[in-house]
Amino acid sequence: MLDIFSLEGKLAIVTGSARGIGQAYALGLAKAGATLVLVDILEDNLQETASLIKEATGRDSKTYGIDVTDSTKINAMVSELIAEFGKIDILVNNAGINAPKPFLEVTEEDWKKIVGVNLNSQFLMSSAVAKEMVKRNYGKIINMASVGGFMALSETAPYNASKGGVLQLTKTMAADLSQYNLNINAICPGFIDTGLLKSSPEREARLQKVYANTPLNRLGEPSDLVGACVFLASDASKYMTGTQIVVDGGMSAVAM
């Protein structure tokens, strides 16, 4: 029965896989059997993820240090992968950024950068990869959204807007691509400790707010999201499309 979660023989791309959630996704998919293509603008850090995968599975990974908002580089990467492997089975659009600040302090540059990475890149990657997936009538695309896509988290206007856009993009892609047997879904994390917010009064204040509004009373860890990713990448979710899995410790179930 657990064979439906196996990813043996599958080729999976994970963007933003140099660290944090993307690194956890890549390692989880590799442990489930997939061959990994690691994509991140932080090219040097990708080797750490590749090394973790090699140590855990004995398999090598391909790495691409590219900007996922650059359609020319995306298209070149996809062409190279098709030439080498003949297929792409799974795409995880994980790359994302945030720069919290009050709405009146958000600049046009802030808006363009955050929406560019969080939303535009998911469109560009999905467009390039889906064109190859439809040729085989098979593919799994997993978009990274957030509870901020449907909840008004304070001081994150561009981030929330971009993640709301990801949810709508996911639904529309599912509606358009289901005829080709593609499954398009999203994951909506709550507050996840990726290690980027170092110990400080700001961190402690944020932790207290999270604890007060999260029934499980803790920050999430990147590993808490891996099960949802493997599930959506596998045949266990073959009758799911156009929806999202919320992994937030219960935060969205209670009033903030």
Side-chain angles (χ1 to χ4, degrees):
M1 182 64 177
L2 292 180
D3 288 348
I4 61 174
F5 293 97
S6 173
L7 302 179
E8 290 291 338
K10 305 297 186 184
L11 184 74
I13 301 174
V14 181
T15 68
S17 48
R19 60 189 183 189
I21 294 171
Q23 184 177 84
Y25 281 159
L27 187 56
L29 294 172
K31 287 180 177 179
T35 297
L36 267 294
V37 178
L38 309 174
V39 181
D40 204 299
I41 199 168
L42 302 173
E43 185 170 9
D44 293 341
N45 299 65
L46 283 176
Q47 297 310 314
E48 177 185 337
T49 305
S51 295
L52 289 172
I53 290 172
K54 180 72 170 180
E55 181 180 348
T57 70
R59 289 192 297 276
D60 293 321
S61 306
K62 288 192 71 71
T63 62
Y64 288 89
I66 66 171
D67 181 346
V68 289
T69 66
D70 187 329
S71 60
T72 300
K73 291 181 179 178
I74 290 170
N75 290 333
M77 175 186 70
V78 170
S79 294
E80 184 175 314
L81 291 174
I82 294 300
E84 181 173 352
F85 296 97
K87 64 172 186 172
I88 298 169
D89 299 291
I90 301 158
L91 168 63
V92 183
N93 282 314
N94 171 74
I97 59 173
N98 193 12
K101 62 176 63 175
F103 177 76
L104 294 179
E105 296 178 16
V106 176
T107 66
E108 183 178 358
E109 182 181 356
D110 292 332
W111 181 272
K112 288 180 177 179
K113 184 175 182 179
I114 293 170
V115 173
V117 175
N118 293 0
L119 178 57
N120 295 354
S121 74
Q122 298 205 30
F123 164 72
L124 295 173
M125 285 292 304
S126 296
S127 178
V129 172
K131 287 172 183 173
E132 298 300 330
M133 288 178 166
V134 299
K135 296 175 183 178
R136 299 174 54 240
N137 269 352
Y138 182 86
K140 303 275 191 172
I141 297 179
I142 303 167
N143 294 329
M144 276 298 284
S146 165
V147 294
F150 56 84
M151 297 176 67
L153 305 180
S154 64
E155 300 189 346
T156 53
Y159 180 85
N160 292 344
S162 68
K163 295 302 186 178
V166 168
L167 290 175
Q168 284 300 99
L169 176 63
T170 300
K171 293 176 186 297
T172 306
M173 286 171 58
D176 289 350
L177 299 173
S178 61
Q179 62 182 306
Y180 303 107
N181 196 38
L182 269 60
N183 299 97
I184 321 293
N185 294 290
I187 298 175
C188 296
F191 289 107
I192 306 297
D193 190 357
T194 60
L196 297 181
L197 188 61
K198 304 302 181 182
S199 181
S200 66
E202 179 189 359
R203 174 183 169 87
E204 293 309 312
R206 183 169 295 185
L207 285 177
Q208 291 307 312
K209 184 176 181 181
V210 171
Y211 295 157
N213 293 284
T214 304
L216 288 183
N217 198 38
R218 68 174 177 87
L219 283 175
E221 300 289 338
S223 60
D224 290 322
L225 300 168
V226 173
C229 185
V230 171
F231 170 64
L232 291 177
S234 73
D235 285 342
S237 61
K238 64 183 180 181
Y239 197 57
M240 288 179 63
T241 197
T243 191
Q244 62 274 341
I245 296 178
V246 179
V247 188
D248 68 351
M251 185 180 73
S252 60
V254 299
M256 292 289 284

